Amino acid sequence: MMSKSISACSVLATVALLSVLQLSGCGGSKNDPTPSAQDAVKAKLIASKWNLQTVLVDGVDKTATYFGLNVSFTATNYTSTNGKALWPASGTWSFVDATGKSIKRDDGIEMAVDVSDTSLKLSFTWAKNTLGGGRAQSGSGQHVRTFGK
């Protein structure tokens, strides 16, 4: 009977020791790798749908032109609503470099990215005037689009 008792105690002690060792490996040790700049930006981009707040084209407020625009990102794709000619309904995107400060859509448009947990700012140059006649500079120029959650 004693050998069963020692054996059971040994097993319990071993399980307890392994559990403690496993738990001590969790948590933020100084050796944990920090996410890359791209991974940090990507996590914020894909966290939720982004709803348009403002649009400036060459410093002029054009928010009403893009009313209802929203964009959602996945790791490599995006979808949008009410993007008109400047933001296709869907496509792919990728980072331009390791800094995570610029993305490039599959249509060749490169955008500077400034993202936090609650806001997204995309800046890019659009060389076409695609929104119809009668509006000078209605689409072309330096775009700065600000989104919120």
Side-chain angles (χ1 to χ4, degrees):
M1 187 66 126
M2 185 145 206
S3 66
K4 283 187 177 181
S5 211
I6 291 172
S7 177
C9 286
S10 295
V11 169
L12 286 175
T14 302
V15 168
L17 178 62
L18 289 174
S19 295
V20 167
L21 289 173
Q22 184 177 11
L23 289 175
S24 69
C26 297
S29 84
K30 291 183 181 180
N31 296 329
D32 285 348
T34 57
S36 71
Q38 285 184 355
D39 289 341
V41 170
K42 187 182 292 186
K44 290 176 183 176
L45 285 175
I46 67 176
S48 71
K49 177 170 62 173
W50 295 97
N51 300 302
L52 183 71
Q53 292 179 332
T54 61
V55 175
L56 297 177
V57 179
D58 292 333
V60 177
D61 186 350
K62 298 286 185 175
T63 306
T65 303
Y66 300 96
F67 181 78
L69 171 63
N70 62 62
V71 180
S72 297
F73 293 91
T74 68
T76 57
N77 297 306
Y78 67 84
T79 57
S80 75
T81 304
N82 296 326
K84 303 194 181 196
L86 280 89
W87 199 286
S90 64
T92 61
W93 69 276
S94 60
F95 286 107
V96 173
D97 60 28
T99 66
K101 293 182 179 181
S102 293
I103 62 172
K104 189 173 188 176
R105 296 188 318 207
D106 57 344
D107 61 0
I109 299 296
E110 198 171 306
M111 301 178 173
V113 176
D114 183 8
V115 64
S116 72
D117 290 335
T118 58
S119 68
L120 169 63
K121 183 167 113 178
L122 299 172
S123 304
F124 62 98
T125 300
W126 184 256
K128 302 173 190 173
N129 188 5
T130 57
L131 295 179
R135 294 184 188 166
Q137 303 297 315
S138 61
S140 63
Q142 180 63 35
H143 285 245
V144 178
R145 294 172 179 230
T146 306
F147 298 81
K149 290 186 173 183

